[in-house]
Amino acid sequence: MADVLPLVEARLCTALGAPDARAAVTFLGTDPIEVLRFRDDSREGALVRYATLGMSAQPMADPTAMVADPVKGPRAELVLSVRAGVADTDKVLRSLAVLAASPQVEGLIVTPGASLDVGEPLWPGAPFTSVLVAEPGGLVEDLELDEPLDPVRFLPLLPMTPNEAAWKRVHGAQALQERWLTNGTDLRDPSRRSVPLE
């Protein structure tokens, strides 16, 4: 069986360019999770993107299954995009590694529409403690793997304030995304306020 992670890193580099920094975090009983940082100065207002590398090494397993299938099952990595130079977002590395390790540690299957909460600010002073998992395929295309492996999906993360997370639990992910769209919310602003929810 081919090692998935070199293929995943190659796909990230094809889509985002060469990473300018990387860090590895290991949690007890889990494989290491790396977080790669990519700078994008090509648009108005520079962006920095953080992508996990390691979450897709194993398929995500149904927590109710008696035995985890080592081959079949969904695979994913997480991608967060924020405006550069506005906040000390590099400290998000540990939060992203915690989220990427959650399938191994907690038996979660991370899918679009899900909320992931780290229980503390995503980086120092951040108004966000959780993220909404968005639909893949826009920034980084899915990576097809040889049968019988499932493709690796690159899931964008959208930071949520505690009020937005609570509102999303009641009204759903689609309603929150529509609220953001209606209000022209800049989801890449690392210091943005909560969208009006009345």
Side-chain angles (χ1 to χ4, degrees):
M1 198 66 65
D3 187 359
V4 171
L5 296 184
L7 303 174
V8 171
E9 183 168 357
R11 175 56 55 92
L12 285 168
C13 292
T14 299
L16 305 176
D20 73 337
R22 62 197 307 147
V25 181
T26 305
F27 302 100
L28 191 63
T30 68
D31 297 324
I33 302 285
E34 281 195 279
V35 180
L36 312 184
R37 184 181 71 190
F38 301 86
R39 293 203 173 275
D40 181 355
D41 300 316
S42 60
R43 303 194 177 127
E44 242 178 83
L47 295 175
V48 59
R49 303 188 195 279
Y50 302 94
T52 63
L53 180 63
M55 182 177 172
S56 62
Q58 306 292 330
M60 292 182 274
D62 182 343
T64 62
M66 292 294 286
V67 179
D69 189 323
V71 176
K72 290 194 69 63
R75 294 174 189 258
E77 296 289 355
L78 308 175
V79 181
L80 173 69
S81 300
V82 292
R83 298 214 172 280
V86 180
D88 185 13
T89 56
D90 279 353
K91 300 284 192 333
V92 79
L93 299 177
R94 182 165 176 77
S95 295
L96 286 179
V98 167
L99 297 178
S102 60
Q104 285 185 65
V105 175
E106 299 170 40
L108 288 181
I109 296 182
V110 179
T111 56
S115 301
L116 302 175
D117 196 319
V118 295
E120 60 185 25
L122 293 178
W123 55 83
F128 320 105
T129 58
S130 61
V131 293
L132 175 65
V133 181
E135 290 291 335
L139 186 62
V140 185
E141 287 184 29
D142 291 355
L143 172 64
E144 297 293 334
L145 301 172
D146 293 338
E147 290 287 343
L149 304 183
D150 287 25
V152 177
R153 303 171 86 199
F154 297 88
L155 302 172
L157 301 180
L158 307 175
M160 293 188 292
T161 66
N163 284 350
E164 290 170 339
W167 197 85
K168 182 254 175 191
R169 280 194 291 277
V170 175
H171 300 280
Q174 185 67 39
L176 177 59
Q177 289 180 295
E178 286 170 9
R179 184 62 61 110
W180 281 335
L181 194 60
T182 302
N183 285 273
T185 305
D186 180 1
L187 296 172
R188 293 172 175 163
D189 179 354
S191 57
R192 72 173 179 85
R193 297 181 186 280
S194 183
V195 71
L197 297 169
E198 291 76 37

